[in-house]
Amino acid sequence: MSTIENLPATNFIRQIVAKDLAENKHNKVITRFPPEPNGFLHIGHAKSICLNFGIASEFSGLCNLRFDDTNPEKESIEYVHAIEKDVHWLGFKWAELRHSSDYFEQLYDFAVELIEKGLAYVDSLNAEQMREYRGSLTKPGKESPDRHRSIAENLDLFTRMRAGEFSDGQYLLRAKIDMAASNINMRDPALYRIRRVHHQRTGDAWCIYPMYDYTHCISDALEGITHSLCTLEFADHRPLYDWILDNISIDCHPLQIEFSRLELEYTIVSKRKLNQLVVEGHVSGWDDPRMPTIAGLRRAGFTPAAIRDFCERIGVTKKDAWIEMSVLESCIREDLNNTAFRAMAVLEPLKVVLENYPEAQVEQLEMSNHPQDETQGKRIVPFAKVVYIEQDDFADIPPPKYKRLIEGGEVRLRGAYVIKCNEIIKDAEGKVIELRCTYDENTLGKKPEGRKVKGVIHWVAAEHALDAEVRLYDRLFNVANPSAEENFCDALNPNSLEVVTDAKVESSLAKAELGSRFQFERVGYFCLDTKDSSASKLVFNRTVTLRDTWV
Ligand code: ATP
Ligand code: MG
């Protein structure tokens, strides 16, 4: 498993950084992770986080967390806090916490500089005209009649835009580049718009807001970022990134490098669509354990180490790649197999009475928390006359090769005794509701004499067991690429949550801390829910099944 400290230098971005440092282009590498606070982070962001923070740490550099907060209508402080929490939980420490809005005043001054150099102008085309003038991939754009406004007039109008003299949308500030450029991003892109919206940090101080492309490169440069890592869709924006920095008085010019986005099967990595799932109530919230958000994965029981391991395994390239959900699942399975305490839980209880076991006797059996790792300690599991086993572990009419309990047959109760089933009790409908058994008192930690017993099943003592609700989560979507559907919500898996309300779990779990993770032996990996679980009602979330059941 990879730790943050020992990431191998395997991807092309690390190679570029290593080379730049070797050539003394920089003393120190500085990266940044720049989320827009318009939703919770998802597993795709984890890829970017691991890359940016990983590179900084590997090369003894720094990584900033910067909120790219230039779209106030969709952003909120709630998202800011959630993002900080998630980055921290993933195991990373930012050098500085910044906001694009920290730079609003400087951004404004640079815009004035562009105007003074004749490289920006105030335009009065409306949105529809803008589209029409922009041209297309095959047709050059057309110059706006305002393109040749004088510098003095542009300065006056831009000052008055800021002062709030105009209505929303009445004017735009645009870069003056080239309306015939083959790259449409270079056809006089907008730099500022008039927008009267309250900003979560700057309040109502501004009624003009800078555009993303304009803001991003300048924020990078102001922070002294050396390598600005972003996803492939920004490759076409790189000429603009460079144009802006080349034309303002700033001496830092970060290198933008693009890599491919993570696309994960059977889920969705888009804040906008995840927001729709929340708003329309398809899930219980951003932290619903089925969500591919960091908060959802955490609540489901994922560990930071498993997510970092996943990001390391998928690698960083320029090729679009769909990753199978099983890759993520096997990361968490491996981690929990090594680290999760074992416990016993019966999801569908069947009562077993051990007729020859003394009525009032209770044995406190000592069991290992982890069978392969004694350092994880031991726990006490009570054993008594009445126990529950899983309904599935008894067969009235056994299929061929059935190794569990049958009438007249024997099975071992894990960590306890071999029992034999003598009699089945059924209800009026013929359903098996109780088994009358006997136990072999010479089989505690010993093989039975003169015969072989193959099956081993889990159990809990009826009187000591705790009631629990167990939430069995499955994949959120039924199709590998829900985004390709006309309406992605139609592809939701209607069986993505099954709630078991009357499970029985062993008594040692009364002491479990919220969020702690267990392997329920033979059942799967589970996590004590951090939101709905309480001392009076334990709630467990299934993190992942023991084996890959999807193939
Ligand atoms: P979304 O569409 O989900 O909002 P975004 O790219 O608009 O994604 P930002 O908050 O702007 O989200 O992203 C912050 C950083 O995370 C950016 O550098 C972005 O490139 C990166 N990022 C976002 N989604 C992915 C992904 N699926 N894979 C890798 N990196 C991603
Ligand atoms: Mg975005």
Side-chain angles (χ1 to χ4, degrees):
M1 211 178 323
S2 63
T3 65
I4 308 170
E5 292 74 35
N6 66 2
L7 295 169
T10 47
N11 68 54
F12 78 100
I13 298 182
R14 285 176 185 143
Q15 285 161 10
I16 295 173
V17 172
K19 186 162 174 284
D20 286 352
L21 289 173
E23 291 172 0
N24 286 319
K25 278 194 194 157
H26 316 284
N27 307 324
K28 204 188 215 20
V29 60
I30 306 179
T31 56
R32 84 289 171 265
F33 171 64
E36 185 181 352
N38 61 349
F40 278 52
L41 298 180
H42 50 62
I43 185 75
H45 294 111
K47 174 177 179 176
S48 176
I49 293 169
C50 290
L51 179 65
N52 279 293
F53 282 91
I55 282 192
S57 140
E58 183 184 357
F59 295 101
S60 307
L62 301 170
C63 181
N64 290 347
L65 172 61
R66 184 199 316 142
F67 290 102
D68 189 0
D69 54 350
T70 55
N71 266 319
E73 48 281 68
K74 296 199 185 112
E75 297 162 2
S76 80
I77 192 77
E78 181 210 351
Y79 294 140
V80 168
H81 291 149
I83 290 170
E84 287 177 34
K85 176 175 173 179
D86 289 350
V87 173
H88 193 76
W89 180 78
L90 279 174
F92 298 107
K93 276 206 188 82
W94 48 86
E96 302 206 29
L97 181 68
R98 298 293 186 95
H99 296 78
S100 296
S101 55
D102 296 338
Y103 312 129
F104 278 174
E105 200 64 53
Q106 281 151 293
L107 289 160
Y108 179 85
D109 291 342
F110 285 125
V112 170
E113 180 184 349
L114 288 175
I115 296 172
E116 285 170 341
K117 287 178 171 167
L119 293 173
Y121 61 98
V122 175
D123 197 357
S124 58
L125 291 186
N126 62 33
E128 197 188 320
Q129 290 167 318
M130 280 282 283
R131 252 193 307 281
E132 184 196 324
Y133 276 63
R134 190 182 300 132
S136 67
L137 283 174
T138 51
K139 210 172 88 206
K142 215 165 60 176
E143 294 189 353
S144 160
D146 292 342
R147 201 173 198 262
H148 302 287
R149 238 191 250 288
S150 72
I151 290 175
E153 199 182 344
N154 281 320
L155 283 172
D156 174 59
L157 285 172
F158 190 52
T159 312
R160 290 163 61 198
M161 275 170 68
R162 175 177 182 172
E165 289 188 29
F166 309 119
S167 55
D168 287 15
Q170 194 178 341
Y171 287 110
L172 274 179
L173 182 73
R174 298 178 73 178
K176 194 193 264 192
I177 309 180
D178 179 6
M179 286 310 290
S182 56
N183 181 342
I184 295 181
N185 294 304
M186 299 299 274
R187 294 183 188 168
D188 292 10
L191 303 179
Y192 268 89
R193 64 213 191 281
I194 305 176
R195 213 69 193 83
R196 283 182 177 71
V197 205
H198 189 81
H199 188 285
Q200 47 108 358
R201 291 186 76 242
T202 59
D204 298 313
W206 293 86
C207 65
I208 56 172
Y209 289 101
M211 304 299 287
Y212 174 87
D213 280 331
Y214 176 70
T215 309
H216 199 80
C217 54
I218 298 179
S219 306
D220 279 350
L222 289 171
E223 291 175 20
I225 302 301
T226 54
H227 298 82
S228 174
L229 315 180
C230 62
T231 36
L232 282 178
E233 69 272 21
F234 291 103
D236 285 349
H237 298 238
R238 184 164 12 110
L240 179 55
Y241 186 106
D242 291 333
W243 184 92
I244 293 168
L245 294 183
D246 284 340
N247 286 294
I248 59 173
S249 308
I250 201 160
D251 44 18
C252 174
H253 195 132
L255 174 66
Q256 174 176 313
I257 310 172
E258 307 88 16
F259 63 95
S260 65
R261 293 178 85 83
L262 165 69
E263 297 285 359
L264 189 59
E265 288 185 348
Y266 292 97
T267 191
I268 268 178
V269 281
S270 149
K271 277 181 271 169
R272 186 179 57 79
K273 287 182 181 153
L274 293 174
N275 185 47
Q276 190 180 331
L277 293 177
V278 174
V279 170
E280 292 180 3
H282 299 292
V283 292
S284 64
W286 284 98
D287 64 351
D288 186 299
R290 290 165 292 184
M291 292 280 269
T293 51
I294 307 298
L297 292 166
R298 173 171 57 233
R299 195 169 162 201
F302 276 69
T303 60
I307 296 175
R308 293 196 305 259
D309 182 29
F310 170 74
C311 292
E312 191 56 37
R313 284 193 207 183
I314 58 175
V316 177
T317 67
K318 275 195 180 283
K319 254 200 345 252
D320 279 321
W322 278 84
I323 306 293
E324 287 176 25
M325 186 57 104
S326 59
V327 178
L328 180 59
E329 289 168 349
S330 67
C331 289
I332 185 61
R333 220 177 258 132
E334 251 178 54
D335 188 9
L336 294 181
N337 185 37
N338 292 329
T339 57
F341 280 14
R342 271 46 175 176
M344 290 196 283
V346 174
L347 301 198
E348 291 180 4
L350 174 59
K351 187 175 171 187
V352 170
V353 179
L354 303 172
E355 292 179 299
N356 60 341
Y357 195 87
E359 192 72 41
Q361 181 172 312
V362 180
E363 285 173 87
Q364 305 293 346
L365 304 179
E366 206 180 52
M367 295 194 194
S368 298
N369 284 326
H370 196 291
Q372 283 92 43
D373 181 3
E374 288 301 322
T375 65
Q376 299 202 30
K378 292 191 186 300
R379 66 191 198 276
I380 298 296
V381 182
F383 186 82
K385 189 178 178 72
V386 183
V387 300
Y388 291 119
I389 65 168
E390 210 72 69
Q391 283 172 26
D392 264 3
D393 284 334
F394 173 80
D396 199 4
I397 306 162
K401 292 192 186 160
Y402 191 77
K403 288 203 196 72
R404 292 167 272 166
L405 195 56
I406 57 173
E407 189 171 12
E410 285 184 297
V411 79
R412 176 176 290 280
L413 297 180
R414 169 155 288 177
Y417 298 95
V418 168
I419 63 167
K420 178 176 185 180
C421 176
N422 304 310
E423 191 189 344
I424 309 171
I425 296 174
K426 297 182 179 177
D427 66 8
E429 277 97 55
K431 184 177 184 246
V432 179
I433 51 165
E434 189 179 316
L435 302 177
R436 294 293 165 103
C437 300
T438 44
Y439 86 114
D440 179 344
E441 63 177 337
N442 296 315
T443 54
L444 184 62
K446 277 190 264 168
K447 286 191 179 142
E449 262 172 46
R451 61 203 198 275
K452 267 198 177 135
V453 174
K454 282 204 178 133
V456 182
I457 64 174
H458 59 276
W459 56 275
V460 292
E463 233 179 85
H464 304 83
L466 308 170
D467 294 324
E469 176 176 314
V470 176
R471 298 174 180 173
L472 302 174
Y473 292 105
D474 204 341
R475 294 179 183 182
L476 191 49
F477 290 94
N478 268 331
V479 301
N481 180 7
S483 293
E485 305 294 304
E486 195 168 330
N487 177 0
F488 72 97
C489 291
D490 293 344
L492 281 163
N493 173 8
N495 305 314
S496 60
L497 170 58
E498 184 195 333
V499 182
V500 176
T501 50
D502 45 9
K504 302 280 184 185
V505 302
E506 66 172 65
S507 53
S508 73
L509 293 172
K511 296 193 298 277
E513 274 176 39
L514 295 183
S516 49
R517 307 170 181 95
F518 299 92
Q519 184 196 90
F520 288 166
E521 298 208 48
R522 302 179 61 239
V523 181
Y525 292 102
F526 291 81
C527 172
L528 191 60
D529 190 59
T530 46
K531 254 193 179 162
D532 300 336
S533 194
S534 63
S536 57
K537 184 189 167 210
L538 296 176
V539 177
F540 289 93
N541 299 323
R542 181 167 70 195
T543 314
V544 69
T545 51
L546 285 180
R547 274 167 284 277
D548 190 352
T549 50
W550 261 71
V551 284

